[in-house]
Amino acid sequence: MAQNLYGPRVRMGNWNEDIYLEEEVMKDFLEKRDKGQLLIQRNRRLKENLLRPMQLSITEDGYVHCGDKVMLVNPDYPETEADLFLGGDLSLGMTPDEIKAHLSDDLEVPCGLSAAPTKIPVGRNTFIILSADRSAAGQVLRYGQNFCLAITGGFEDRMLYLSSDHRTLLKSSKRSWLQEVYLTDEPSYLNCWQAAFPDPQLRLEYEGFPVPANAKVLISHCHTNRGLAAHRHLFLSTYFGKEVEVAAHTHLDSHRVEKPRNHWMLVTGNPRKDSSTMLDVVPKPLAEDARALERDTRAPEQGADPGAQ
């Protein structure tokens, strides 16, 4: 097959057609650049929205309220069932499809979710707590109350809801094949969730009590009664790098108690200016407090006169 080995400046063959073709390609490129339709421009706008810094709500009474902006964090724990896992506090965040994200500057629905080791509130991991009827703004969220978790992703005109449904042969999580968790823009009963107290022996007693902020809770799906879980040992290659899978499944131990995979914290903002979330305010562990108390009690005994004993 004949091949043109010469450039368009060499006038041979269809040289005039090659010149006009180059001009059309350059004209089309400049037109797309002026309208912001280039692939790199769309990709940059999507990343700017998803990684836009967000301000979390600051609680004054220590409880979570409808309308608050929070982060859903799976607190760190020692994983004993897998050799390779992702440690640290993992925050729930939206993960758009990598191929679709390169072709569009808007969010595609349904959108996936994952857990990543980040403590900075941005557009992709900041959720808004909404009541089931959307009419209880400002009221305290209580155990056993239906609520929705919405996210804007840094966009001003979009609102996606955390949803789930029974798994099928064609619809399940990518790695564990369990019940899938996704984001959709259609309000329905599949968007409803409930918070429960982690201790099963006190769960009924706490029914109807306010949900504390920055404390461990269980988040279960109302329609399927499956708990939201972070699988630290199942890695995903996402648009933002290496993260782990999030699914809807209740993991129970031998005592019928939910495992740390199902533990979540509704993290609020920090009123201090030097940090953005309450995760930065790390309380002193109880073991350290006990050792400090033991040192304080032994100090007077060591300083006492031995002859007086």
Side-chain angles (χ1 to χ4, degrees):
M1 182 176 180
Q3 184 178 3
N4 187 6
L5 302 178
Y6 298 93
R9 294 185 180 180
V10 180
R11 298 188 175 185
M12 62 178 300
N14 295 330
W15 59 270
N16 194 31
E17 182 180 348
D18 294 338
I19 292 177
Y20 277 107
L21 183 60
E22 272 196 6
E23 293 178 354
E24 286 295 326
V25 171
M26 180 59 66
K27 183 179 179 181
D28 183 60
F29 169 78
L30 295 176
E31 183 180 358
K32 287 185 176 180
R33 188 189 65 178
D34 296 337
K35 293 182 179 180
Q37 296 179 353
L38 292 178
L39 181 61
I40 189 173
Q41 292 175 325
R42 293 179 175 180
N43 188 267
R44 186 180 297 128
R45 282 197 300 267
L46 180 60
K47 267 191 174 179
E48 287 177 355
N49 288 324
L50 293 177
L51 300 179
R52 178 181 300 173
M54 304 291 287
Q55 182 65 38
L56 300 180
S57 301
I58 299 176
T59 177
E60 298 180 356
D61 54 2
Y63 299 117
V64 180
H65 302 77
C66 295
D68 286 353
K69 293 183 179 180
V70 299
M71 290 174 56
L72 268 71
V73 176
N74 179 243
D76 187 21
Y77 66 91
E79 180 67 62
T80 59
E81 300 181 8
D83 296 331
L84 186 61
F85 59 91
L86 189 61
D89 297 331
L90 303 182
S91 62
L92 181 66
M94 63 189 314
T95 307
D97 185 77
E98 193 168 2
I99 297 178
K100 295 180 180 178
H102 284 293
L103 300 177
S104 175
D105 56 351
D106 201 359
L107 294 175
E108 297 287 338
V109 290
C111 183
L113 290 142
S114 62
T118 177
K119 299 181 180 180
I120 303 176
V122 292
R124 67 178 294 239
N125 62 8
T126 302
F127 289 83
I128 305 173
I129 298 178
L130 302 175
S131 59
D133 54 0
R134 312 293 194 275
S135 62
Q139 296 184 7
V140 178
L141 182 66
R142 300 182 180 275
Y143 288 115
Q145 176 185 350
N146 292 358
F147 67 94
C148 299
L149 291 167
I151 188 172
T152 61
F155 293 85
E156 297 180 356
D157 55 345
R158 295 299 300 271
M159 183 72 77
L160 303 181
Y161 304 97
L162 183 66
S163 306
S164 185
D165 200 357
H166 292 285
R167 65 173 180 174
T168 62
L169 293 176
L170 301 178
K171 189 175 183 181
S172 61
S173 56
K174 296 181 179 179
R175 294 294 307 278
S176 62
W177 300 96
L178 296 174
Q179 185 173 308
E180 185 183 18
V181 179
Y182 57 92
L183 294 170
T184 181
D185 56 353
E186 299 179 0
S188 66
Y189 187 65
L190 299 179
N191 312 144
C192 295
W193 301 79
Q194 285 186 359
F197 194 71
D199 191 348
Q201 296 182 350
L202 301 175
R203 192 164 298 166
L204 290 178
E205 283 78 359
Y206 274 87
E207 194 80 13
F209 278 74
V211 177
N214 311 300
K216 292 181 181 180
V217 296
L218 303 177
I219 300 178
S220 59
H221 191 233
C222 296
H223 179 63
T224 61
N225 198 26
R226 294 287 189 273
L228 188 65
H231 297 151
R232 294 172 175 262
H233 61 293
L234 299 179
F235 296 95
L236 296 175
S237 179
T238 67
Y239 184 59
F240 299 96
K242 188 178 181 180
E243 298 178 354
V244 297
E245 182 192 73
V246 176
H249 186 77
T250 305
H251 297 273
L252 302 176
D253 59 11
S254 59
H255 300 283
R256 305 293 296 176
V257 179
E258 288 79 3
K259 294 182 179 180
R261 296 179 182 180
N262 293 112
H263 292 173
W264 296 89
M265 293 192 304
L266 301 177
V267 179
T268 58
N270 191 354
R272 301 177 183 176
K273 295 182 179 180
D274 55 349
S275 58
S276 56
T277 68
M278 291 300 293
L279 287 175
D280 302 322
V281 184
V282 181
K284 185 183 293 185
L286 297 177
E288 294 184 8
D289 292 342
R291 287 195 294 267
L293 181 61
E294 185 179 358
R295 288 195 301 267
D296 295 340
T297 55
R298 287 183 178 180
E301 297 178 359
Q302 295 176 356
D305 187 8
Q309 295 179 356

